[in-house]
């Protein structure tokens, strides 16, 4: 069965998603980017329009948001909601090299990248990035609109809120909760619950701002 896909966002994250989508068997129709980018290519795919062109692809393709999440997820959320409001279908894309347990649940619009692992009983929300070599262990819950960066270890029975960014090579100790709208810096070790919005870094994690 052919699976057709429009990518929304033409930056660096788009390149990574292209590779994952190709490995998952998607036929990429094109990319929607900024007006000044129309006609340019990202890898082998043309930027065919802008966000306002989403309606012409509704019912013909699936969509995935390929704008990255570093400082905040505001634009990713806006684009995701736009597709939903128009009745579009968000693809759930899993790299051929990733392992997703048959007993895990993955939300719509989520991309699981190369060599990531989502183990039994885990639940991953909507419009989430699970980046390369990330490990989501058993019975952990990841909220909506999160970015779990490269090489992150989220151990068993953790609860991660919405709009959370976890930097590369961070470790979240088992049975730990992280609230909404929190940023965990790269290489941070989280060994107790964090609920105050802001940036945390270090080993153990400490509040910065």
């Amino acid at each position: 069965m052919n699976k057709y896909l429009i990518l929304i966002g033409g930056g660096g994250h788009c390149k990574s998603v292209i590779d994952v989508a190709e490995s998952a068997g998607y036929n990429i129709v094109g990319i929607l980017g900024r007006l000044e980018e129309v006609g340019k290519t990202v890898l082998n795919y043309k930027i065919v329009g802008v966000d306002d062109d989403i309606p012409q692809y509704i019912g013909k393709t699936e969509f995935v948001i390929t704008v990255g999440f570093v400082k905040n997820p505001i634009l990713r959320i806006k684009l995701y909601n736009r597709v939903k409001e128009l009745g579009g279908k968000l693809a759930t894309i899993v790299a051929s090299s990733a392992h997703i347990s048959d007993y895990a649940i993955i939300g719509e619009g989520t991309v699981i990248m190369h060599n990531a692992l989502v183990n039994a009983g885990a639940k991953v929300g909507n419009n989430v990035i699970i980046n390369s070599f990330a490990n989501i262990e058993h019975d952990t819950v990841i909220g909506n609109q999160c970015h779990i960066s490269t090489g992150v270890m989220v151990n068993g029975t953790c609860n991660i809120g919405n709009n959370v960014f976890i930097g590369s090579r961070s470790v979240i100790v088992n049975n730990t909760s992280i609230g909404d709208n929190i940023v965990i810096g790269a290489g941070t070790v989280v060994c107790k619950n964090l609920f105050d919005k802001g940036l945390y870094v270090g080993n153990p994690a400490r509040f910065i701002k």
Side-chain angles (χ1 to χ4, degrees):
M1 182 178 178
N2 290 327
K3 299 183 291 184
Y4 296 98
L5 187 66
I6 285 284
L7 285 63
I8 306 178
H13 181 61
C14 178
K15 295 178 181 179
S16 297
V17 176
I18 284 171
D19 191 74
V20 169
E22 288 180 339
S23 80
Y26 277 89
N27 297 299
I28 298 172
V29 174
I31 302 162
L32 302 181
R34 297 191 300 270
L35 183 60
E36 64 270 21
E37 297 172 329
V38 174
K40 297 180 180 180
T41 59
V42 178
L43 303 182
N44 295 324
Y45 301 97
K46 184 172 285 189
I47 298 178
V48 296
V50 296
D51 303 345
D52 288 342
D53 297 316
I54 290 171
Q56 73 185 64
Y57 297 100
I58 299 293
K60 300 175 183 177
T61 73
E62 296 180 44
F63 297 85
V64 66
I65 310 306
T66 50
V67 173
F69 169 8
V70 177
K71 292 184 178 180
N72 64 66
I74 291 172
L75 183 54
R76 285 182 57 83
I77 293 170
K78 178 182 176 181
L79 294 170
Y80 173 88
N81 289 341
R82 177 69 172 150
V83 173
K84 292 288 288 181
E85 288 163 2
L86 291 167
K89 181 179 180 182
L90 278 299
T92 299
I93 304 175
V94 178
S96 59
S97 61
H99 176 78
I100 309 299
S101 169
D102 290 340
Y103 305 99
I105 297 171
I106 310 296
E108 63 179 6
T110 288
V111 178
I112 312 291
M113 295 197 167
H114 288 295
N115 297 295
L117 168 67
V118 181
N119 223 328
K123 297 179 180 179
V124 178
N126 300 328
N127 200 26
V128 171
I129 301 166
I130 304 292
N131 222 317
S132 304
F133 291 98
N135 187 351
I136 311 301
E137 265 301 338
H138 66 87
D139 302 307
T140 279
V141 176
I142 306 291
N144 299 321
Q145 321 285 355
C146 292
H147 183 169
I148 311 301
S149 299
T150 50
V152 168
M153 176 71 71
V154 184
N155 283 288
T157 324
C158 289
N159 196 321
I160 311 300
N162 300 314
N163 313 327
V164 172
F165 178 92
I166 302 180
S168 296
R169 306 292 291 179
S170 294
V171 175
I172 315 302
V173 174
N174 59 297
N175 300 307
T176 300
S177 294
I178 296 176
D180 297 343
N181 303 302
I182 285 176
V183 175
I184 305 297
T188 298
V189 177
V190 179
C191 51
K192 64 178 182 179
N193 296 339
L194 305 177
F195 294 116
D196 292 333
K197 177 181 175 181
L199 169 64
Y200 295 80
V201 300
N203 179 9
R206 65 185 186 279
F207 182 80
I208 297 298
K209 60 179 180 180

